[in-house]
Amino acid sequence: MRLKLGKIGLQRFVIMGIFVLLFIIMSLLSPVFLTTTNLINVLRQVSMVVIVGCGMTLLLTSGGIDLSVGSVLALSGVICAKLAVSGVPLPVAILGGVASGFIIGLLNGTLVVFFKIPFLIATLGSMYIARGLAYIISGGQAVVAGLPDSFKIPGRGYVGFIPIPILIMIIICVVFYIIQSRTILGRYSYAIGGKLETAILSGINISNVQLLFYSLVGLLSGVAGIILSSRLASGQPNTGLGFEFDVIVAVILGGTSLSGGEGTILGTIIGALIVGVLNNGLNLLGVHTFYQYILSGATLVLAVILDMTLKGRGIKIRHKIRQ
Amino acid sequence: MGKSNYILEITDVSKYFPGVQALDKVSFKVKRGEIHCLVGENGAGKSTLMKILAGAIERDSGEIVFDENPVEIHSVHAALNLGIAIIFQELNVVNQLNVYENIFLGKEKTNFGFINRRREIETAFKYLKKLDMDFDPLEKVSNMSSAKKKMIEIVRAITYKSKLIIMDEPSATMTEKDVKKMFKIIRGLRDSGISIIYISHRLEEIFEIGDTVTILRDSKLISSSPIANITKDVLIKMIVGRTLSNKYPVEKRRIGDVCLEIKNLSTKDFLKNINLVVRRGEIIGIFGLVGSGRTELARAIFGVDQIDSGKILVDEKNVEIYKPADAIKIKIGLIPEERRDQGLVTILTVRENVTLSSLRNISRQGFVNRKKERFIADKYIKDLDIKTPGMEQAVANLSGGNQQKVVISKWLSTNSNILLMDEPTRGIDIGTKSEIYKIISDLAARGTAIIVFSSEIEEIIGISDRIFVMHDGELFEYLNKDNITPEGIINYAIGGIY
């Protein structure tokens, strides 16, 4: 494979640099940071953001966005738990949870593609609807009583020595990396986000592609919801508040353009890791949550400034005129 | 006072971008109150020079003297304050605002921070009247023609009290009539002492309106002299750097069977009862002014706009085209009017753009065969002589002519049998233009049926086997074979009888 040089290469290099720097700083500041247990813990924490982030990267690249992922996370967990409590075999319950995510995604896609509703409004609407459904189905309380022991497997189990959430994350990353870099679908996401009219006039069926991307994001949110509820050992309707922003932050940090046409899965993974390492490190250092918010926000803004400056769209660095 | 005769003196200005010397020690002077034409092929350095004067980019070396003072122009705002206004090729008006709001955009007339609406309207009215423009300052801009919008930008430049106005291809999307009107305004400005730098690819215009002409080629100054001292042939030679033996290829082609037939095609709001038969290997030229329906016809055939009634037959079989994908399936291709917004995804690479429409053909189970893809991109870069550092170059970095070649490649890679080309050479320099004519002619020789929609009469006459004229949504064949002249066709197009 030939390397694509230029701004994209440079940008990835910079975001990677930020990650490595952060990693080194945290290792120096905290003796616990560099232990296997802690690092696995970081990966487990970021797994849900990465899983949903993979779909969100494709969606954002194609010029869309989905704000409902946090609510879908809760809905999927609640449905899965409710089904498990009612005696349905666990695999079927899981499928039910994931399916609910897919359906909300499909709804988002339908609203955007066929009813031509602006995506911010459409997914904001379904964000409320999904949250409401989660509360109604759970009766407003965590679904705990009567859950089988096996319910904890997806979130806390291991395959060999690898935690299942991390395994799922790796598989999804590989699949979406391939989708984005090798398939027609990946190329179409860049074309649609890059210039919609050209994409239409080139014969691309943009409706189907967009519909698929929204559905995929919903499906992945469903998967993440199963992992979360399993880790919590309950289906809680109030989880995932603000999760959509964690995902979008990771995707943007990773260099995906909010205006579409640019973005990589690899960038999103690194973006999520930066957030994960930062949060974990600050926790280890005993920094109060209030200050963590400020530091996370500052990191995002600084990273985007750096990114835009490197792409030549941000602050202009004035060169002195040679005489 | 002994004021200098020159408003602008550029001496040894250079600019280097990574990989390209965009300007190489360019020097020339613009007199007060003259129309100074700036010409050169795409990539010759005109835009770079203009951006430097506009304050959008900064020069590496050299000196700029404006109105007798050496200047550093750090921003567009600074340029305006000096008295340099630029009218870019792309329209720069806010559609949601009305005429006077656009004119005063960015330098609103205010009282204690509140906009003085009445004064703005009155001033706008005064300027419009002075320039003999017949539109209402309160009219919304969104419904106006692109020519009118351009005029608003000119008014805006004047209200800045500019001493130098730079216009980049203002006539590119205008009808002859609008151009005439604009010329009258430009001459008026000159006579009142304002200097104009006029950039255009249309050489006839330069001879019509220019006082002085400066020619750039390969980032260097070739010549700067009064227009009276130059002939058209000499000018072309200086622009291209070689003699163009024949702009339009003369080849005998074999015209084959009927391949596209349009019967009584109408659309709800515009096209009326269009009939057209195109054969393999034939180049049909459809001349039409802006608003005549030429773009609408191309879009209707390609399935972008819905057809209300009528039939389209391809290879004598009835076809249903509801969307571009349907048209592509039956091997029709469309090279759209707006290259950057409709033909290309400019942030993607040459390779990705070339294969955008044919991706399915080189994929299996959704996976792109990358070896095949590179092969195709490489083939067309060579075949059409696309000047690019490589297939992984973003299309945005290519010159207009080479971008157009990428759009053409896109349709060649789908093996289109029928190619609709809407303004295929708009904004393209003469050197690349004749290359594109050669490509069109070669395609026809290989049996492709081609319809060229254009507002350039010379081009229509030069390349077409048969000429049609569009007027007010109707299509007529121009049958007067003995009198194929621009005047004859124009006369026909504006509804006259030849």
Side-chain angles (χ1 to χ4, degrees), chain A residues 52-185:
Chain A
V52 179
C54 283
M56 195 71 95
T57 305
L58 282 182
L59 183 60
L60 232 71
T61 304
S62 75
I65 208 165
D66 184 351
L67 297 178
S68 70
V69 293
S71 300
V72 171
L73 199 76
L75 178 65
S76 145
V78 165
I79 288 184
C80 179
K82 202 76 183 170
L83 285 174
V85 167
S86 72
V88 171
L90 189 65
V92 179
I94 289 176
L95 217 60
V98 174
S100 71
F102 179 78
I103 289 166
I104 299 285
L106 198 64
L107 171 75
N108 283 332
T110 309
L111 290 176
V112 173
V113 172
F114 297 108
F115 291 91
K116 312 274 179 220
I117 299 172
F119 49 77
L120 281 179
I121 307 295
T123 61
L124 201 60
S126 57
M127 169 177 149
Y128 280 99
I129 294 171
R131 181 68 66 186
L133 285 174
Y135 278 115
I136 292 169
I137 292 169
S138 64
Q141 288 162 341
V143 184
V144 187
L147 276 180
D149 253 9
S150 59
F151 189 76
K152 294 174 193 160
I153 294 174
R156 300 186 188 178
Y158 286 82
V159 171
F161 60 94
I162 308 174
I164 289 178
I166 298 180
L167 187 69
I168 296 175
M169 172 181 81
I170 292 171
I171 292 170
I172 286 176
C173 284
V174 170
V175 169
F176 274 77
Y177 176 79
I178 292 172
I179 289 180
Q180 188 172 42
S181 61
R182 301 288 171 91
T183 67
I184 297 188
L185 206 56

Side-chain angles (χ1 to χ4, degrees), chain B residues 459-495:
Chain B
E459 157 176 303
I460 290 283
I461 296 174
I463 59 169
S464 310
D465 295 317
R466 282 190 293 144
I467 297 172
F468 286 74
V469 170
M470 277 212 91
H471 171 68
D472 206 13
E474 289 182 90
L475 184 73
F476 307 95
E477 181 158 9
Y478 186 78
L479 292 166
N480 192 349
K481 295 258 193 291
D482 308 325
N483 183 28
I484 300 185
T485 60
E487 294 74 25
I489 293 171
I490 267 280
N491 200 20
Y492 203 48
I494 56 177

Side-chain angles (χ1 to χ4, degrees), chain A residues 188 197-206, chain B residues 302 323-326 328 356-357 360 410-411:
Chain A
Y188 283 179
E197 203 168 350
T198 302
I200 296 170
L201 291 178
S202 297
I204 297 171
N205 190 335
I206 55 155
Chain B
F302 198 61
K323 51 180 193 292
D326 299 337
I328 293 166
L356 198 56
S357 291
R360 279 173 189 284
K410 185 167 87 176
W411 296 113

